[in-house]
Every structure is written in structure tokens, then in C-alpha cells.
């Protein structure tokens, strides 16, 4: 397959808005989780099909956008420095998440959550960004392998980051390479069929502007939304009680 040069618009408001929508869904999900954590509501976020399916859909939307964004970055010929700086920022944030959750959830801290995964997946998927057809085929294979194969060998914490576990590890966020790398690759694969050569203007409505703003600051919103939600809920419940 030949590498194709693709002219990409400088800004893609629809992509920012899509990322913003995914962030809103994540914030609502985490707010409900926090309500359960504080004992305001009763819900099983680990086994209830409604909540597990909701989480899967939110992560899928994020990772498809990651794949599309990798293709767009490759088509724009971003510098190696910009790429590795982005990976370094995500990695640093992932480490902060691990450290913070080790205090909140000593037995189930996040050792390989969505940020850890995105940092690794960005590196693994980057070469495929030049070959979207290969990425699409590979992505489907990775997803199928990840959901159909399992072995006790991968149940150890060290190997569980690969996937293929027979039982889910005890952690508050778990996004293994298999099958989720496949979703990123599929995002790369479908990117050429999306309107990336010409920016579609965003609606001038306040909602569209807010979602665009959020989509352009996704990493910082991801890092800050939970501390803000938890602090706000703690203050409100302290007053009410």
C-alpha cells in the first residue's frame, strides 16, 4: 500500500465537537460514579450491564477519535518533536493518575487506564497512520483477537496490560492493548472517508462553542474534572448533612 499525502484543513471543528461530546459523556458517567462512591445512589459500575456498556461506548468514542487524530496529524506532517511532546504529556498525566488513585483506592489503583493506554497506543499506531487500509484490517483483527482469546498467563498485573485476561483485574480503570488498540487502528482506517480536507464550520451556538472549547482542551479537562467533581460533592454533602 502506498503512502498517500492528504491535504488536511488546519482546524476541524467537527472533530473538536466530537471530542467535546465524548468528554461530556465521560463527565456525566464519572459524576454518577462519584454519587455512588459517596453513597448518594446505589449502582454497580463493575457488573451492571447498563454501566459497563456505557463505559465501553464512551471509551470506544474516545479511542476512535484518537485514531482519527493520529491520521490527521500524520497527514499534516507534524514534527517528531510535537508527536513525542504530546506522548510525554499524556504519559506524565497517566503517572499522576496512578499516584493519585493509589491514595484513594489502595487495592484498586489505576495502573493501566485510558491515559496509559493512549500513550502506548499512540506509539504503536503511529506507523499505521500512513497506511489507513492496513490499519483498518489490522484493527479488526486486533479487536477480534482481544474479545475471543484469553489465557490465565495474562492474569498477572504485569501481563494484564496486554489483554487476554480470564478475569478482570482489580483496578478502577482498565484499558488493555487488546482489544482497544484495534479501535484506535479502526479510527485511522475510517479517517480518510471523513471530511478532513475541508473544515466544516461549527454552529455558532453556545453549545457548539462550549464543546469546541472542551475538545481543544481534552487532556486538562480529563485531569481536572474528577478532583473538581469530588471536591464539589464533598462540600455539598458536608453542608446537607
Amino acid at each position: 500500500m502506498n503512502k498517500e499525502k492528504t491535504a488536511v484543513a488546519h482546524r476541524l471543528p467537527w472533530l473538536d465537537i466530537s471530542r467535546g461530546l465524548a468528554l461530556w459523556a465521560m463527565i456525566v458517567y464519572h459524576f454518577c460514579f462519584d454519587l455512588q462512591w459517596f453513597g448518594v445512589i446505589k449502582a454497580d459500575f463493575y457488573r451492571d450491564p447498563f454501566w459497563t456498556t456505557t463505559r465501553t461506548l464512551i471509551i470506544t468514542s474516545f479511542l476512535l477519535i484518537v485514531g482519527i487524530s493520529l491520521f490527521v496529524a500524520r497527514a499534516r506532517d507534524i514534527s517528531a518533536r510535537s508527536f513525542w511532546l504530546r506522548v510525554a504529556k499524556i504519559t506524565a498525566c497517566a503517572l499522576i493518575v496512578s499516584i493519585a488513585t493509589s491514595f484513594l483506592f489502595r487495592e484498586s489503583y489505576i495502573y493501566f487506564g485510558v491515559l496509559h493506554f493512549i500513550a502506548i497506543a499512540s506509539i504503536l499506531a503511529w506507523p499505521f497512520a500512513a497506511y489507513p487500509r492496513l490499519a483498518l484490517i489490522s484493527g479488526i483483527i486486533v479487536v477480534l483477537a482481544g474479545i475471543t482469546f484469553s489465557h490465565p498467563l495474562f492474569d498477572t498485573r504485569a501481563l494484564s496490560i496486554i489483554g487476554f485476561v480470564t478475569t478482570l483485574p482489580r483496578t478502577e480503570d482498565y484499558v488493555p492493548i487488546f482489544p482497544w488498540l484495534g479501535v484506535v487502528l479502526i479510527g485511522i482506517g475510517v479517517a480518510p472517508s471523513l471530511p478532513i480536507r475541508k473544515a466544516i464550520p461549527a454552529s455558532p451556538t453556545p453549545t457548539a462553542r462550549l464543546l469546541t472549547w472542551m475538545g481543544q482542551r481534552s487532556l486538562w479537562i480529563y485531569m481536572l474534572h474528577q478532583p473538581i467533581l469530588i471536591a464539589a460533592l464533598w462540600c455539598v454533602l458536608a453542608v446537607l448533612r
Side-chain angles (χ1 to χ4, degrees), residues 121-139:
S122 296
I123 297 170
L124 296 176
W126 182 246
F128 289 88
Y131 308 99
R133 293 178 186 174
L134 177 61
L136 181 60
I137 296 170
S138 301

Side-chain angles (χ1 to χ4, degrees), residues 35-36 47 54 58 78-79 88 96-97 100 111 161 195 207 211 225 237 240:
L35 289 175
Q36 174 268 151
R47 287 175 289 273
T54 299
I58 293 172
I78 68 163
S79 66
I96 292 171
V97 168
Y111 66 90
I161 67 173
T207 299
L211 292 174
H225 80 283
L237 293 174
L240 293 177

